[in-house]
Each structure stands twice: as C-alpha cells, then as structure tokens.
C-alpha cells in the first residue's frame, strides 16, 4: 500500500535552513505521517505549521514561488523566510 506523504520545506531557502529557525509549513492527508514529519521538524528546532490536507500542497507551491519573487524583487536577497506572527487581542 502506498501512503500519501506530507509536503513541507518547499518555501524555505537552503541558507535559511542552515542559519535560521524558520516556520515550516506542512500539508498532507495522513494524520500519522504529518505527526511524524512535525516531530522531525521540531527535532531540528523548527516550528511545524499544519496548513491542512494535501490539497493545500498546491498553495504551498504558490508560496514557494512567492518567496522566489520576493527574493528577486521586494526583499532583494535570499536570507528570509515566510512565517507566522501571532498577535494577542
């Protein structure tokens, strides 16, 4: 039986993974697989953020393209990552 695998890490540039602690967005339909991937991400000192089922992987691809566009234009370099800030109130 083939298990659907979660998607993650495609919105983060390599140098950011080497030097920073970015949020890692994951998507998948298999709850156990996502839990395993989330545990692995946490073991690296990173924060996993579940964006939903595998259909959301399509939108993670778009986020990856947005990071490339930001690197070449708005931010102007590759030393950044998309993330989530939580605000109280």
């Amino acid at each position: 039986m083939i298990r659907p695998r979660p998607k993650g890490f495609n919105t983060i540039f390599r140098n950011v993974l080497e030097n920073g602690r970015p949020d890692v967005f994951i998507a998948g339909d298999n709850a156990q697989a996502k839990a395993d991937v989330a545990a692995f991400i946490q073991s690296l000192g990173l924060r996993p953020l579940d964006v939903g089922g595998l259909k959301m992987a399509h939108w993670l691809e778009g986020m990856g393209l947005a990071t490339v566009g930001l690197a070449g234009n708005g931010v102007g370099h590759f030393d950044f990552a998309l993330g989530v800030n939580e605000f109280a109130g």
Side-chain angles (χ1 to χ4, degrees), residues 6-11 24-27 37 41 60:
K7 179 172 193 61
F9 287 100
N10 70 312
T11 63
V24 180
F25 301 102
I26 59 174
V37 169
I41 291 167
L60 291 181

Side-chain angles (χ1 to χ4, degrees):
M1 177 170 105
I2 298 175
R3 286 183 158 179
R5 295 185 180 100
K7 179 172 193 61
F9 287 100
N10 70 312
T11 63
I12 306 169
F13 297 117
R14 177 187 50 87
N15 57 313
V16 173
L17 280 173
E18 291 174 348
N19 299 306
R21 294 290 172 245
D23 291 337
V24 180
F25 301 102
I26 59 174
D29 289 335
N30 183 299
Q32 184 58 56
K34 281 201 294 189
D36 292 346
V37 169
F40 170 70
I41 291 167
Q42 287 176 325
S43 77
L44 299 174
L46 307 174
R47 181 171 73 153
L49 294 174
D50 185 350
V51 300
L54 199 54
K55 288 183 179 183
M56 290 299 292
H58 170 78
W59 299 105
L60 291 181
E61 290 295 329
M63 289 172 63
L65 291 173
T67 58
V68 172
L70 286 167
N73 297 284
V75 176
H77 57 79
F78 292 90
D79 295 322
F80 74 95
L82 301 178
V84 172
N85 291 322
E86 298 180 48
F87 299 97

